[in-house]
Amino acid sequence: MYQHLALYINGQFLDGQGRQTQAVINPADGSSLGQLPLASQGDLDAALEAAQAAFKSWRHSSPMDRSAILRKVAELSRERAQEIGRNLTLDQGKPLAEAVGEIMSCADHADWHAEECRRIYGRVIPARNPKVQQMVLREPIGVCAAFTPWNFPYNQAIRKICAAIGAGCTIILKGPEDSPSAVMAIAQAFHDAGLPPGVLNIVWGVPQEVSDYLIRSPIVRKVSFTGSVPVGKQLAALAGAHMKRITMELGGHSPVLVLPDADVARAARQLARFKIRNAGQVCISPTRFYIHDDIYTAFVDRFTEELANVKVGDGLDPDTQMGPLAHERRIPMMQKFVDNARSLGGKVLLGGEQIKRDGFFFSPTVLTDLPDDALVMTEEPFGPIAPLTRYSDLDDAIARANSLPYGLSAYAFTQSLQDAHRLGTELESGMVNINHFGSSLPETPFGGVKDSGIGSEGGAETFDGYLVTKFVTQI
Ligand code: NAD
């Protein structure tokens, strides 16, 4: 049994009922899992009206009540993690353990928002005139429109929903049509937790048509998007034209610096494991590797050996360490990166091709001897491809790491405290991880700089994008 698919508008789950539908495909074997109903313009209008009406009361709801609902969602997520995880593996492909892990970590995100939403404080500013009172209030911005992708469908949606709802906003979210089950499960959890109708609405459709309609609507005051840089720029431009607040979590191209004093075996093992996580379809995936000359050969050998031993297969098989790519369209993209590297003199040490079996599988791939202007060194591969290059001078490596317009996450391995400090301050990146991978916790901010985005999710900053600052003065 796969997840029941529907729209969720004004507290109602709405099935096909004459609407257009889209097939949902299992990337592990290409089979059809179900039909997703797509929203008509009337459905989008109904979602907008419901969110607008619900905002009138939800904005004044007690933070204690909002907190209780978010806590309940955390509890339900934990209780249902196995079932939700299984459906996520079916429609997205990631190994079941990763899928269940995603749901469990999202329960922590909901808990974090449940705590923090009780602490959205304003402040009092001392006045020049003792009879004057000056207050700064932080109010919910209003109806939010959110668009989330298919690589972490539960995580990316629940973070936006919890931030909006915790702040006192209402939200319309368009989830990923290719992998919709996790977002349906979120709607069910909020419904069962007693969220009033209209506070959360879920729609599906042709992405560009839905985002265009919602962003242009005067009802929507805030736009939040996770996805690729080109789409993010389009949506940000449209939101800007209508003077709407944005949060943009966009793509990355994370540099990895392995310094000569690093623990090579540990770095190679950890980086290989992270590289194949979600088949490399992770915006903070380690992407460009700069390895110091002194340890280059040792690192390349170790890293390649680690990736060669990865068990690729159906995510429901408990032995699987890496599943398929989420869509068929990703395979030619991977091949393009590999072919381009080859044409520029790059060597394929491992993989480099589609795996011949049903489904959309691509081998873990190691590329070496390629120039910095190879496609895979400048565009986000979003797949299990690791280009390894060498460096001799740290200044030069930092300059190369900072040379792209992306700035989401960066990684470094070194035992030098001095170099670690330098990398932490000089890498142009929203997140810098040294000797381990520590991003994406609920209590830490997640977000990029440069083309990788605007704003943060999580951490103490999580509600900032969903609140407006109002100054009230009285005498
Ligand atoms: P894509 O750029 O077409 O789509 C990416 C996501 O954005 C999808 O979920 C899609 O439904 C959505 N989208 C596309 N156009 C939209 C629009 N006009 N309005 C609203 N949503 C829209 O490409 P794709 O093949 O699905 O994914 C490939 C690329 O997307 C990757 O190479 C990667 O760079 C990027 N991506 C990034 C993230 C992330 O976490 N930052 C997640 C998924 C995809």
Side-chain angles (χ1 to χ4, degrees), residues 261-282:
D261 59 1
D263 178 339
V264 171
R266 186 165 160 267
R269 192 175 57 249
Q270 289 194 4
L271 286 162
R273 281 193 198 143
F274 195 11
K275 183 69 243 180
I276 54 131
R277 187 170 164 229
N278 204 1
Q281 302 165 120
V282 181

Side-chain angles (χ1 to χ4, degrees), residues 147-151 156 174 176-178 207-208 211 225-229 231 234-235 249-251 283 327 329-330 380-382:
F147 309 94
T148 55
W150 43 263
N151 53 337
Q156 287 146 332
K174 188 201 78 60
E177 288 75 16
D178 300 300
Q208 187 175 356
S211 59
F225 172 72
T226 300
S228 63
V229 171
V231 174
Q234 280 170 32
L235 301 191
E249 292 289 354
L250 307 181
C283 54
H327 319 292
R329 64 178 180 271
R330 303 297 308 153
E380 191 176 22
F382 226 59

Side-chain angles (χ1 to χ4, degrees), residues 359-394:
F360 317 136
F361 293 88
F362 200 87
S363 316
T365 296
V366 177
L367 304 174
T368 59
D369 299 277
L370 67 175
D372 276 2
D373 63 353
L375 202 58
V376 71
M377 292 293 289
T378 56
E379 283 184 22
E380 191 176 22
F382 226 59
I385 304 182
L388 310 184
T389 71
R390 45 168 85 223
Y391 81 89
S392 55
D393 172 63
L394 188 57

